[in-house]
């Protein structure tokens, strides 16, 4: 996969030399190029922004500078040997970036990430690339405001990069993680030593009984999701639940009703927490 990032702070992206993404670059799995937007300015001061039409606080990034930069890095699309690049614009006013976006973007051959600063990029830039047949995704990494798109670009590139074939050493670790196909948060995990600070690893995990371990993990995933992310429980497909799942969820105050999960208004409390000595149904 090729990823081009355009920013006025190329050094921000230096972290992409580290860890798994850095390794993927060195292994040739990810061709990541970072560009300085100011290379496409045409004045002595290398200006990339100006005051907003209509007034108001802050500065807006100029469309002409962005247009020259993106025309160069996006490629013609189709004609130049590869498919048209998918333009990603991190912005707090975008759709919220999820694992589903990461999966879809990981299937692309070429991403271009346009990092805005100040009050954002002139709206005609996104309009122009959409109108000229490019796919454009304006994505937010969450309901808070950063000073620019660079940190969001780091987040998205890491989330996408680890899904590329060969990047994560053991692809099985991608199967059971939070926000995976099961629609649940991941169960709690433990390693050695089995006793630490008076806290014991749950016996079942030391039992070697794979079916019971699997059931325990699923119960903990259900309980954790119900406690922390009721929106994810409400989105579960009841048809994908077994009888034991339904019982566990009932104990957490959720019932199947009209083909959907519904929380009982005055149902029981959200079940035990994650204390290792808790009495969790096995
Ligand atoms: N730029 C500023 N805030 C952002 C956010 N929350 N997500 C993506 N890009 C941003």
């Amino acid at each position: 996969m090729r990823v081009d990032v355009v920013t006025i702070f190329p050094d921000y992206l230096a972290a992409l030399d580290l860890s798994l993404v850095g390794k993927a670059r060195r292994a040739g799995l990810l061709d990541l190029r970072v560009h300085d937007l100011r290379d496409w300015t045409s004045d002595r001061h290398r200006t990339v922004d100006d005051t907003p039409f209509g007034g108001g606080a802050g500065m807006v990034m100029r469309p002409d500078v962005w247009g020259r930069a993106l025309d160069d890095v996006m490629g013609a699309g189709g004609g130049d040997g590869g498919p048209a690049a998918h333009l990603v614009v991190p912005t707090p006013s975008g759709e919220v970036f999820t694992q589903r976006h990461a999966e879809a973007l990981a299937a692309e051959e070429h991403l271009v990430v346009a990092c805005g600063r100040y009050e954002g990029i002139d709206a005609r830039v996104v309009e122009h690339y959409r109108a000229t047949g490019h796919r454009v995704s304006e994505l937010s990494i969450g309901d808070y405001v950063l000073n620019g798109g660079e940190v969001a670009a780091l987040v998205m590139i890491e989330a996408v990069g680890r899904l590329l074939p060969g990047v994560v050493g053991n692809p099985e670790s991608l199967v059971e993680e939070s926000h995976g196909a099961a629609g649940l948060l991941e169960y709690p995990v433990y390693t050695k030593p089995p006793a630490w600070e008076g806290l014991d690893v749950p016996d079942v995990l030391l039992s070697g009984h794979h079916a019971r371990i699997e059931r325990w993990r699923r119960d903990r995933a259900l309980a954790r999701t119900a406690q922390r992310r009721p929106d994810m429980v409400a989105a579960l497909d009841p048809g994908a639940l077994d009888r034991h799942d339904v019982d566990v969820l009932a104990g957490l105050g959720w019932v199947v009703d009209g083909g959907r999960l519904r929380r009982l208004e005055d149902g029981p409390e959200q079940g035990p927490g994650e204390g290792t000595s808790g009495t969790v149904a096995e």
Side-chain angles (χ1 to χ4, degrees):
M1 169 184 262
R2 175 164 165 189
V3 178
D4 290 87
V5 182
V6 184
T7 167
I8 58 167
F9 293 119
D11 290 348
Y12 240 114
L13 285 299
L16 295 174
D17 279 333
L18 306 174
S19 186
L20 277 183
V21 173
K23 223 169 125 187
R25 294 175 77 177
R26 290 187 288 280
L29 300 169
L30 177 64
D31 175 6
L32 179 79
R33 307 178 196 185
V34 180
H35 310 270
D36 186 342
L37 178 68
R38 293 192 199 275
D39 291 347
W40 284 276
T41 55
S42 50
D43 64 316
R44 203 158 57 86
H45 301 290
R46 314 221 307 154
T47 309
V48 294
D49 60 339
D50 214 319
T51 52
F53 282 124
M59 299 291 270
V60 175
M61 297 189 102
R62 294 176 59 107
D64 50 351
V65 180
W66 271 108
R68 286 193 292 271
L70 294 177
D71 282 350
D72 278 354
V73 299
M74 302 268 289
D80 66 348
H86 187 142
L87 178 61
V88 175
V89 183
T91 166
S93 56
E95 259 177 52
V96 176
F97 177 75
T98 66
Q99 191 67 16
R100 304 291 87 76
H101 291 97
E103 287 160 1
L105 294 175
E108 296 282 0
E109 284 183 27
H110 187 194
L111 301 177
V112 173
V113 186
C115 299
R117 281 262 145 184
Y118 317 116
E119 297 305 306
I121 302 172
D122 185 299
R124 289 169 293 180
V125 173
V126 160
E127 196 183 329
H128 167 71
Y129 285 97
R130 281 212 178 104
T132 51
H134 292 86
R135 280 150 317 137
V136 182
S137 297
E138 295 178 272
L139 297 171
S140 165
I141 60 163
D143 293 344
Y144 40 80
V145 179
L146 305 167
N147 287 329
E150 287 76 8
V151 170
L154 287 173
V155 167
M156 294 183 214
I157 292 167
E158 178 156 325
V160 170
R162 63 193 293 281
L163 298 179
L164 300 178
V167 173
V168 170
N170 179 2
E172 268 188 37
S173 65
L174 300 176
V175 175
E176 289 199 344
E177 62 192 5
S178 298
H179 308 295
L184 298 173
L185 299 179
E186 196 178 16
Y187 47 78
V189 295
Y190 303 89
T191 186
K192 291 179 238 347
W196 176 75
E197 297 281 1
L199 299 170
D200 293 339
V201 172
D203 285 341
V204 59
L205 299 180
L206 310 175
S207 70
H209 195 299
H210 292 297
R212 282 176 54 200
I213 292 171
E214 213 174 295
R215 187 65 252 176
W216 183 88
R217 286 179 164 166
R218 176 124 180 126
D219 291 352
R220 300 316 303 148
L222 287 164
R224 192 181 240 193
T225 310
Q227 187 163 45
R228 299 178 182 178
R229 292 293 301 272
D231 58 311
M232 288 174 65
V233 177
L236 289 172
D237 170 12
L241 302 174
D242 65 24
R243 265 196 48 197
H244 189 104
D245 293 335
V246 173
D247 288 347
V248 170
L249 286 168
L252 296 161
W254 289 84
V255 291
V256 179
D257 179 15
R260 310 201 56 165
L261 280 153
R262 182 173 63 80
R263 191 179 192 162
L264 291 172
E265 286 306 322
D266 43 11
E269 285 300 299
Q270 285 296 300
E274 287 186 359
T276 52
S277 54
T279 50
V280 177
E282 282 178 28

